[in-house]
Amino acid sequence: MVDAPKICVAGIGALGGTFTAMLAHSGANVSVVARGATLQAIRARGLELQGPASTFCTPVAAAERAPDTRQDLLVLAVKAHQLATLVPLVKATVDAGTPVLPIVNGIPWWMTVDGPFESAHETVDPGSVLTAAFPTAQVIGCVAYAFASMPLPAVVRSDRQPKLVLGRAAQQGCVDAGLAQIENILSTAGIAVELSADIRQPIWTKLAFNLATNPLSVLCEATLEKMGTAEDSRAVISDVLAEVRAVGAACGLTGLPPTSALLDVIASAGPHETSMLQDFRAGRLLELDAMGEAVTSLAGAYGVPTPTINTLVRLTRFKGAQCR
Ligand SMILES: NC(=O)C1=CN([C@@H]2O[C@H](COP(=O)(O)OP(=O)(O)OC[C@H]3O[C@@H](n4cnc5c(N)ncnc54)[C@H](OP(=O)(O)O)[C@@H]3O)[C@@H](O)[C@H]2O)C=CC1
Ligand SMILES: CC(C)(CO)C(=O)C(=O)O
């Protein structure tokens, strides 16, 4: 009998907790890197998922570092600015063949290693720590659509079935057997998966969604549904999307859906608070570098005016700093 693939998930918050609970519940061989109260709670009681269809609690092997043995898949599920802190904790688990799947919002570090997004590199990977630790050839680019939160340590709530879009970071136009195997593991656990032959466009679309909603959600302390239905917030969102569209075009990504379609998605997202608003309420550092500063540095490099984005990012950073 062939052993089940070994999966390590580093970072057990809203998303890492949701995916881990679903994987463990489906019988996958999954272990986690966690810390503090979350680590203690997982060890004491297991990981609880309050999902859209059912609630269950599942035991999971948890430690402060990844196992010393090679894993078949390493998932990184932290805020973008926390990624570098994981490097020393997961090093021993990654060899030249280990696929690395970052489930993280914003412009990913690997997209800025060279090419049109290079001017955002220092913002998303200061000192190239991530580039050195995770060679692009091993990285699986990812976009996450989920509505998850962690109300208590090791208790995660997921309001809808989560969906991941996956594609090789290094190869455009290629969906291979390795990706299909990962899709199989994730979909067996009930996670919706779509494979993309060029993951950069879905990443840019998700970034547009996040940049148009996450900072505004902090400034207005509003849910997605409220921002997507009120006339004033819809006007600001439309301005942000126009600016993201212009920056994307300068970088060669022209496939952003129409603004009206994105506004419809936001309006129909329900009374959900974005991950950035959750961070604000918890007094945590806001994920503005990979979602905001990265875009303003690209805009600066290409000479694209982004006055609305600049103002939103500045005000959100200012408001975030008041609560820390
Ligand atoms: N929540 C959602 O619905 C969605 C989130 N996303 C994106 O997914 C990514 C993950 O978000 P989310 O799950 O919400 O974030 P959370 O903040 O809920 O979870 C991150 C977790 O990682 C832990 N962590 C960070 N650094 C380390 C470390 N060095 N060692 C051990 N644990 C560590 C944090 O611990 P601690 O609390 O101690 O810092 C925290 O528990 C983000 O990029 C987010 O924008 C995307 C789509 C939807
Ligand atoms: C799409 C959205 C807003 C869903 O929660 C998200 O990505 C986030 O919360 O950061």
Side-chain angles (χ1 to χ4, degrees), residues 80-81 83 105-131 203-204 207 211 247-248 250-251 253 288-303 317:
H81 52 264
L83 278 168
N105 272 333
I107 298 183
W109 80 88
W110 55 263
M111 213 159 120
T112 67
V113 172
D114 49 29
F117 295 89
E118 205 173 342
S119 44
H121 185 72
E122 256 322 282
T123 310
V124 296
D125 186 14
S128 293
V129 173
L130 302 171
T131 307
I203 285 174
W204 193 255
L207 173 80
L211 192 43
V247 177
C251 300
L253 292 180
L288 283 166
D289 290 344
M291 279 190 217
E293 302 287 353
V295 176
T296 55
S297 43
L298 289 170
Y302 288 101
R317 199 179 285 288

Side-chain angles (χ1 to χ4, degrees), residues 256-277:
L256 205 61
T259 295
S260 57
L262 290 167
L263 280 167
D264 285 349
V265 175
I266 297 165
S268 61
H272 177 75
E273 299 200 337
T274 67
S275 58
M276 194 173 280
L277 180 52

Side-chain angles (χ1 to χ4, degrees), residues 62-254:
E64 279 172 344
R65 308 180 75 84
D68 285 343
T69 47
R70 177 190 186 274
Q71 301 292 295
D72 298 301
L73 177 64
L74 172 65
V75 178
L76 310 174
V78 295
K79 296 283 155 50
H81 52 264
Q82 296 173 323
L83 278 168
T85 68
L86 291 179
V87 170
L89 309 179
V90 301
K91 234 176 170 171
T93 222
V94 185
D95 72 10
T98 313
V100 178
L101 171 60
I103 306 184
V104 182
N105 272 333
I107 298 183
W109 80 88
W110 55 263
M111 213 159 120
T112 67
V113 172
D114 49 29
F117 295 89
E118 205 173 342
S119 44
H121 185 72
E122 256 322 282
T123 310
V124 296
D125 186 14
S128 293
V129 173
L130 302 171
T131 307
F134 308 120
T136 305
Q138 287 168 235
V139 176
I140 297 164
C142 173
V143 175
Y145 285 97
F147 295 92
S149 57
M150 190 166 192
L152 290 167
V155 177
V156 280
R157 195 181 142 171
S158 179
D159 291 341
R160 294 198 191 167
Q161 182 194 25
K163 175 180 165 184
L164 296 178
V165 187
L166 307 179
R168 289 275 172 204
Q171 297 152 307
Q172 284 168 45
C174 180
V175 168
D176 55 65
L179 266 187
Q181 199 189 354
I182 292 167
E183 175 192 26
N184 185 38
I185 295 168
L186 296 170
S187 51
T188 301
I191 299 158
V193 182
E194 189 183 307
L195 298 185
S196 169
D198 183 359
I199 191 67
R200 295 171 321 142
Q201 185 62 56
I203 285 174
W204 193 255
T205 300
K206 178 72 197 290
L207 173 80
F209 192 98
N210 283 127
L211 192 43
T213 57
N214 288 32
L216 193 62
S217 74
V218 173
L219 290 176
C220 303
E221 298 186 36
T223 62
L224 287 168
E225 183 181 56
K226 277 206 174 136
M227 291 185 290
T229 45
E231 199 184 321
D232 288 330
S233 44
R234 282 172 69 92
V236 176
I237 289 170
S238 301
D239 288 348
V240 173
L241 291 174
E243 292 177 11
V244 177
R245 198 179 298 282
V247 177
C251 300
L253 292 180
T254 53

Side-chain angles (χ1 to χ4, degrees), residues 63 72 258 287 313:
D72 298 301
E287 204 176 16
V313 171

Side-chain angles (χ1 to χ4, degrees), residues 6-60:
K6 292 202 265 308
I7 305 165
C8 177
V9 180
I12 299 301
L15 272 199
T18 298
F19 291 123
T20 300
M22 293 176 81
L23 284 164
H25 198 56
S26 75
N29 184 355
V30 60
S31 64
V32 302
V33 177
R35 66 183 179 190
T38 303
L39 176 59
Q40 283 174 17
I42 295 174
R43 282 176 168 161
R45 300 188 301 274
L47 190 56
E48 178 175 318
L49 175 64
Q50 303 172 350
S54 65
T55 292
F56 59 84
C57 192
T58 178
V60 184

